[in-house]
């Protein structure tokens, strides 16, 4: 079921020569992780803000859960949608527990339910419950972003909008929070629309990517399909479609074994080599192959070797005719 349907959405700001968002149409299924990707000024943040009516469309139609968004009071719509931004948007004069509880209090949750929800969300985003009493100024940037994520999840929305939430963080903290977000997504199956201009972040997080340019959608597809079948030279250059390592990062060891359809018994000194798992990506497999100095690495599942991966397998995955079949090759969520 499509939780979002956009039909010809357009946003023209007064005095601007062209629309910020220009007649875009797309549909998002429930539980999908969608990334809006493109250079600065391409319209991705404007489009995101139109989804919760922070910006009203100049033209077009937007359906949320089958209902025309214009028929839903803006404040009610926003309380139904989680929203996280780069600057966290935390109220500096409120404690962590109060920041998280803002929307549940607005919609009238009883106090015991709010208290339980705050504890549950602190556990979920990996913060100690003792942080309830702290103020945002007493937290690191990464910790503040975790609180912002908890607040976006507080009223258990089916839909979450995230506008470059990790953009101001250092690389290590950013990668850690990306992992946390993916873990939350696997557990809760929220529908997420996530804005970024970082290609690596988009490829790592997305089920599908909306690539935008000058207010228009130029491609809407899976990460692997965008890398292996870019719609035009702009997309090809933006995502680095010729980057073999990026392609390997979106293909799984299990997919390589399935494509080759060969199960190999143990032996040949496999016990001395690092083992791979079917869910590992082939970029990891390549790194381990090169560091081990071996010709092949064992793939282990449930304590049993189920196959081997070789450099020839990696080359075949990049060059084979079925490389762009996402269902078979992209890493599992």
């Amino acid at each position: 079921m499509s939780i979002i349907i956009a039909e010809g959405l357009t946003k023209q700001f007064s005095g601007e020569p062209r629309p910020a968002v220009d007649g875009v149409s797309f549909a998002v299924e429930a539980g999908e992780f969608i990334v809006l990707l493109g250079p600065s000024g391409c319209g991705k943040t404007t489009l995101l803000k139109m989804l919760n009516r922070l910006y009203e469309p100049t033209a077009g139609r937007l359906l949320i859960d089958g209902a025309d968004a214009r028929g839903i009071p803006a404040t009610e719509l926003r309380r139904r949608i989680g929203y996280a931004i780069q600057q966290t948007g935390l109220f500096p004069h409120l404690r962590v527990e109060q920041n998280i509880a803002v929307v549940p209090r607005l919609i009238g949750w009883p106090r015991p339910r709010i208290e339980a929800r705050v504890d549950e969300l602190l556990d979920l985003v990996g913060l100690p419950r003792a942080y309830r009493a702290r103020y945002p100024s007493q937290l690191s940037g990464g910790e503040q972003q975790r609180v912002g994520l908890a607040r976006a999840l507080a009223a258990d929305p089916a839909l979450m909008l995230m506008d470059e939430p990790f953009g101001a963080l250092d690389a290590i903290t950013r990668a850690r929070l990306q992992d946390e977000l993916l873990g939350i997504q696997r557990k809760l199956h929220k529908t997420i629309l996530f804005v970024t201009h970082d290609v690596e972040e988009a490829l790592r997080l997305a089920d599908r990517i909306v690539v935008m340019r000058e207010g228009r959608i130029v491609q809407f597809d899976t990460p692997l399909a965008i890398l292996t079948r870019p719609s035009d030279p702009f997309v090809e250059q933006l995502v680095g479609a010729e980057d073999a390592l990026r392609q390997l990062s979106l293909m799984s060891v299990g997919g390589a074994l399935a494509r080759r359809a060969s199960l190999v018994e143990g032996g040949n000194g496999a016990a001395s080599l690092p083992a791979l798992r079917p869910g590992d990506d082939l970029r990891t497999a390549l790194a381990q192959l090169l560091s081990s100095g071996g010709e092949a690495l064992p793939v282990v599942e449930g304590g049993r070797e189920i196959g081997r991966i070789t450099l020839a397998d990696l080359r075949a995955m990049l060059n084979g005719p079925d490389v762009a079949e996402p269902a078979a090759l992209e890493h599992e969520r």
Side-chain angles (χ1 to χ4, degrees):
M1 174 185 173
S2 294
I3 192 170
I4 296 173
I5 299 176
E7 299 174 345
L9 275 185
T10 298
K11 181 60 181 179
Q12 175 75 57
F13 290 104
S14 178
E16 294 296 323
R18 63 175 178 82
V21 174
D22 191 2
V24 304
S25 299
F26 63 96
V28 176
E29 302 302 310
E32 279 195 293
F33 197 129
I34 303 297
V35 170
L36 307 181
L37 175 68
S40 296
C42 72
K44 54 188 184 291
T45 291
T46 300
L47 176 56
L48 192 79
K49 289 183 176 181
M50 291 168 74
L51 300 181
N52 65 355
R53 296 184 59 191
L54 287 174
Y55 291 152
E56 297 289 358
T58 308
R61 189 167 74 133
L62 174 66
L63 302 178
I64 304 289
D65 277 334
D68 192 319
R70 291 172 299 186
I72 307 171
T75 53
E76 178 185 335
L77 179 67
R78 290 170 196 155
R79 289 171 186 175
R80 289 165 43 183
I81 298 174
Y83 190 53
I85 59 177
Q86 180 173 329
Q87 297 82 8
T88 74
L90 299 179
F91 298 110
H93 62 290
L94 297 183
R95 299 180 187 274
V96 165
E97 61 185 356
Q98 295 169 314
N99 267 286
I100 294 174
V102 165
V103 174
R105 282 178 178 157
L106 284 173
I107 61 179
W109 283 20
R111 184 175 182 83
R113 184 181 179 189
I114 292 175
E115 294 295 312
R117 184 63 172 162
V118 169
D119 284 341
E120 178 185 0
L121 288 169
L122 288 173
D123 293 344
L124 185 67
V125 301
L127 289 176
R129 293 185 182 184
Y131 277 30
R132 290 177 63 118
R134 295 193 181 188
Y135 289 98
S137 62
Q138 296 174 300
L139 306 178
S140 69
E143 289 169 342
Q144 289 181 28
Q145 205 62 64
R146 289 172 187 266
V147 175
L149 178 57
R151 187 175 65 180
L153 288 164
D156 198 22
L159 173 61
M160 293 182 61
L161 307 179
M162 308 186 76
D163 191 0
E164 301 202 54
F166 309 143
L169 302 175
D170 63 87
I172 294 175
T173 303
R174 185 171 187 158
R176 187 178 299 122
L177 285 177
Q178 288 170 356
D179 288 339
E180 293 281 352
L181 182 58
L182 283 174
I184 290 169
Q185 172 65 356
R186 293 188 189 104
K187 181 177 181 180
L188 302 180
H189 306 292
K190 300 293 183 183
T191 304
I192 298 175
L193 278 82
F194 185 107
V195 166
T196 186
H197 63 271
D198 186 295
V199 174
E200 291 289 347
E201 185 167 65
L203 296 174
R204 186 178 192 194
L205 295 177
D207 292 318
R208 290 193 292 163
I209 297 173
V210 175
V211 182
M212 297 188 67
R213 182 187 188 190
E214 296 181 350
R216 298 178 180 176
I217 295 175
V218 291
Q219 189 166 358
F220 185 17
D221 216 327
T222 63
L224 185 57
I226 285 174
L227 272 180
T228 57
R229 295 195 302 259
S231 62
D232 62 17
F234 167 77
V235 177
E236 182 176 12
Q237 183 177 9
L238 177 71
V239 301
E242 297 301 316
D243 189 332
L245 289 179
R246 281 183 173 170
Q247 293 187 27
L248 288 175
S249 71
L250 298 174
M251 303 177 190
S252 71
V253 168
L257 289 181
R259 182 174 185 268
R260 180 154 51 86
S262 67
L263 297 181
V264 182
E265 297 301 325
N268 296 328
S272 64
L273 295 173
L276 298 167
R277 298 168 298 176
D280 289 338
D281 63 72
L282 294 186
R283 186 171 181 171
T284 299
L286 174 62
Q288 292 200 20
L289 265 170
L290 294 177
S291 64
S292 72
E295 297 181 0
L297 289 182
V299 181
V300 175
E301 185 174 37
R304 184 179 69 89
E305 182 181 330
I306 62 171
R308 300 282 179 85
I309 290 293
T310 68
L311 287 174
D313 293 324
L314 304 186
R315 285 194 294 268
M317 292 295 285
L318 289 173
N319 299 324
D322 57 347
V323 69
E325 293 182 8
L329 303 181
E330 287 194 58
H331 56 76
E332 296 179 358
R333 288 238 165 255

